[in-house]
Amino acid sequence: MQGSRELKKQKLQVRGCKKAFCCSCRLSVSSSDEGESLNSNRFATISSVAHAMVQEKLDQMIRERREARHEEKRKARRDGTKFVLMVAAEKSTYDPREDFRRSMTEMIAANRIYETKDLRSLLNYYVSMNSVEYRGLILEVFHEVCTYMFLKCKYHS
């Protein structure tokens, strides 16, 4: 048994180990000049292999981090999209200004619309669903409602 191990070690030393980290190859540190010159090429090879492995792992971690950030951004965009169901109803009124004001205030508060793009969408909805004669009034009332709701909150915060 002992003889077969010795024979195996001699064969590995003669032809060199093809596996970088097999169980037969052991690194040893020697203070003698003889051992140092013999193992210096092996240390350089193992060092470059270790460096390449560390570099590959770092690259993989960077790629995973970038992918995670990209996924978070996509999820935030997807989660940030609001779907608001609005139903238009034909209505005759004596005070369209007050009706628009009440309706807009209710829509903004009930759907928690605070983002600029969502407010624009709401305004576009009111403009597109009502006749041309009310567009000026809708713009005025929308400005009043937004000024009241959002500037009031800034001053009282």
Side-chain angles (χ1 to χ4, degrees), residues 52-129:
M53 290 173 66
V54 168
Q55 191 64 41
E56 180 62 32
K57 184 65 176 173
L58 287 173
D59 290 343
Q60 179 186 0
M61 290 169 63
I62 291 169
R63 278 193 307 273
E64 288 172 356
R65 179 73 180 209
R66 284 181 184 160
E67 289 170 4
R69 282 187 195 153
H70 182 67
E71 184 64 31
E72 286 174 8
K73 287 180 182 179
R74 277 194 359 217
K75 188 176 179 183
R77 272 188 257 140
R78 184 176 57 229
D79 291 345
T81 304
K82 292 183 180 181
F83 295 99
V84 178
L85 178 63
M86 294 185 265
V87 179
E90 189 173 331
K91 184 177 184 180
S92 47
T93 179
Y94 293 108
D95 191 5
R97 176 181 287 276
E98 187 56 36
D99 286 341
F100 282 129
R101 177 179 286 114
R102 190 173 349 104
S103 174
M104 289 177 187
T105 305
E106 184 180 307
M107 288 297 294
I108 291 170
N111 294 301
R112 296 184 183 122
I113 299 174
Y114 305 111
E115 297 293 322
T116 307
K117 67 177 185 163
D118 298 329
L119 289 167
R120 270 197 201 110
S121 296
L122 181 65
L123 177 61
N124 288 336
Y125 171 78
Y126 276 99
V127 169
S128 67
M129 296 308 288

Side-chain angles (χ1 to χ4, degrees), residues 4-5 17 25 30-31 56 61 70 91 93-94 109 118 122 131 148 150 153:
S4 67
R5 283 188 185 169
C17 181
C25 291
S30 173
S31 62
E56 180 62 32
M61 290 169 63
H70 182 67
K91 184 177 184 180
T93 179
Y94 293 108
D118 298 329
L122 181 65
S131 66
Y148 174 76
F150 298 110
C153 293

